[in-house]
Amino acid sequence: MAVWTSGAWDGRASERTSPPATHSASASATDALPASWVGTWKGTGPGNPSADGVTTFRTTAVSVTLTLHAARRGERVGRQVSHVTQAGTGRDIGCTETLLLQETRTTSMVFQAVTSTPTDPSTGGLCAPGNVYILTADGADALELGDEGSQTTGSPSRLDRVG
């Protein structure tokens, strides 16, 4: 993985196309979310019914709605709302997160949750900020969510454009 050291590119292989965020007027377009990513995206996953039920909740479904707007790296770019159905109780134990555009890459973007609250506050669930998600464009109307990142087991692997 390539890294930034003393503000200089180390030259090792990576998808990264831009240095850490700056807010100068000369920042390039590669420091911004591509216009083709702006909009609402949705996906569903199977949940994790085989979890141990002690350290990890058993879940029967996960649905995610991701809404993105124009933003530069280092700025808030949107939010994701997850509905995670707990097995047995049917409670929604998902979280709603405000996302920051952390890194831009050739075909993928890295987002970090800067706020996180329970999607259904009545459940008394806890949600912590700091989760990181990596999404990759798959054509014009789909985003792929790979194994790398903070997503819960059983989350959707694909989000499709809505509308």
Side-chain angles (χ1 to χ4, degrees):
M1 179 172 153
V3 295
W4 285 90
T5 56
S6 304
W9 183 246
D10 76 356
R12 288 182 272 172
S14 175
E15 286 187 277
R16 180 182 260 163
T17 60
S18 55
T22 63
H23 295 286
S24 70
S26 64
S28 72
T30 60
D31 283 341
L33 185 75
S36 61
W37 287 55
V38 172
T40 302
W41 307 82
K42 290 187 176 185
T44 58
N48 188 12
S50 62
D52 65 16
V54 177
T55 60
T56 306
F57 287 113
R58 289 185 187 98
T59 58
T60 57
V62 178
S63 68
V64 173
T65 301
L66 174 67
T67 305
L68 300 172
H69 58 79
R72 292 194 159 300
R73 207 153 44 101
E75 296 176 345
R76 291 180 185 212
V77 68
R79 74 183 207 155
Q80 77 85 18
V81 178
S82 64
H83 295 281
V84 180
T85 306
Q86 185 178 20
T89 68
R91 293 184 326 148
D92 183 351
I93 56 173
C95 298
T96 296
E97 300 172 317
T98 302
L99 301 174
L100 176 95
L101 180 57
Q102 182 176 334
E103 185 176 316
T104 60
R105 299 179 177 178
T106 304
T107 59
S108 62
M109 302 290 142
V110 180
F111 303 95
Q112 181 179 22
V114 293
T115 68
S116 187
T117 59
T119 300
D120 179 357
S122 71
T123 64
L126 299 174
C127 297
N131 288 329
V132 173
Y133 306 100
I134 301 169
L135 291 163
T136 302
D138 182 15
D141 294 322
L143 301 175
E144 296 290 330
L145 181 62
D147 293 334
E148 184 180 18
S150 302
Q151 60 275 8
T152 190
T153 301
S155 291
S157 60
R158 175 185 172 107
L159 302 175
D160 294 306
R161 184 181 299 279
V162 176

